[in-house]
Amino acid sequence: MSVSPQLVVHRDKELMAQAAAARLITKIVDAQAARGSASVVLTGGRNGNGLLAALGSSPARDAVDWSRLDLWWGDERFLPEGDPDRNYTQAREALLDSVPLDPARVHAMPASDGPYGIDADTAAEAYAVQLAKAAQPENHSEAPTFDVLLLGVGPDTHVASLFPELPAVRETERMVVGVHGAPKPPPTRISLTLPAIRSAREVWLLAAGEDKAQAVAIALSGAGEVQAPAAGAHGRSRTLWLLDSAAASQLPRGLYPPASP
């Protein structure tokens, strides 16, 4: 049984990024206070990177004990290490290089020039092994119970690299898969699957801009996850949609509270 999604609508994408960053800092600090460490799954794209940049410029960022934070990725473009289109490269530029993380706790997905060569499927299996090693018995999953898993929502309703109708979105057993023939470049990727996404305590879906409005409306209208992968992304205790007013513009007004000032 999935948790009913909650919606927060902000005036514009800048305010959305700042508010999401503040929310994430609070969540990390609370998790570290409760359990000693925190785990977050990052997402790429303009909204994911916008959140990281806002977090980096937040005066509250020093409240986080960066050395006790585990970072994972929801998906990755299967490109060489350091490629500017890799989510990991973009995350480093937006935030990671400017905070004192423990390198052993930064779990980047393999690159195409890494130990697995150009075999995305083997690279995905290796990442699944990392997840399984980090999982605790009480997680009841082959992945850790992440504190927050961030996802950007594509105009076609894709999340991570789970695209409508493609094999990866239909996966019910494996935690990580290689993706081939993605409809947006590059065609080869690595992605968490819906079972891995659903292992998170909280899943936050980010969408800003008019080009995301139809996808948001479809995903929140009861669409099936194979046709609309974002509809299948939910957390164990909370599913939060963080939107700007443009991305929320096709939703029924009664579905969400008034926009933040």
Side-chain angles (χ1 to χ4, degrees):
M1 179 179 164
S2 62
V3 180
S4 295
Q6 297 174 299
L7 279 67
V8 179
V9 181
H10 295 288
R11 182 182 62 230
D12 54 43
K13 66 180 180 181
E14 289 79 19
L15 188 59
M16 184 188 96
Q18 292 163 8
R23 189 183 290 270
L24 184 58
I25 289 169
T26 300
K27 188 59 61 175
I28 292 169
V29 170
D30 287 349
Q32 289 178 336
R35 291 183 293 278
S37 64
S39 59
V40 174
V41 180
L42 300 181
T43 185
R46 66 177 191 242
N47 292 320
N49 291 323
L51 186 159
L52 292 182
L55 203 162
S57 61
S58 169
R61 81 176 203 182
D62 293 336
V64 172
D65 184 342
W66 295 99
S67 68
R68 293 190 292 131
L69 177 64
D70 283 286
L71 293 179
W72 302 85
W73 270 261
D75 73 320
E76 187 56 276
R77 296 152 180 170
F78 199 52
L79 297 166
E81 186 69 37
D83 189 290
D85 285 336
R86 270 175 61 83
N87 290 335
Y88 176 57
T89 308
Q90 295 174 8
R92 287 186 59 177
E93 292 174 357
L95 174 69
L96 308 190
D97 283 348
S98 63
V99 291
L101 293 160
D102 177 353
R105 289 185 152 195
V106 179
H107 307 279
M109 286 183 164
S112 62
D113 58 351
Y116 313 104
I118 59 170
D119 187 344
D121 298 319
T122 300
E125 290 171 13
Y127 203 68
V129 169
Q130 282 194 57
L131 289 174
K133 285 181 178 177
Q136 302 296 317
E138 63 268 21
N139 297 152
H140 305 294
S141 171
E142 288 296 303
T145 302
F146 311 111
D147 290 299
V148 177
L149 185 145
L150 301 167
L151 292 171
V153 180
D156 60 354
T157 72
H158 85 265
V159 289
S161 283
L162 305 178
F163 294 91
E165 307 282 357
L166 291 190
V169 76
R170 302 174 187 270
E171 180 63 47
T172 59
E173 300 293 331
R174 291 177 293 171
M175 296 290 111
V176 191
V177 293
V179 175
H180 305 276
K184 60 180 288 191
T188 306
R189 296 155 174 260
I190 299 172
S191 183
L192 298 191
T193 60
L194 287 177
I197 289 169
R198 292 169 184 160
S199 70
R201 284 186 180 85
E202 299 197 8
V203 170
W204 299 2
L205 298 105
L206 312 172
E210 289 182 17
D211 62 324
K212 305 294 180 72
Q214 186 175 18
V216 169
I218 290 170
L220 288 168
S221 69
E225 63 195 35
V226 172
Q227 294 77 28
H234 45 78
R236 291 185 177 192
S237 63
R238 193 182 201 196
T239 306
L240 187 63
W241 284 73
L242 300 172
L243 310 170
D244 75 347
S245 57
S249 61
Q250 293 188 26
L251 291 171
R253 298 296 291 181
L255 197 61
Y256 63 87
S260 303

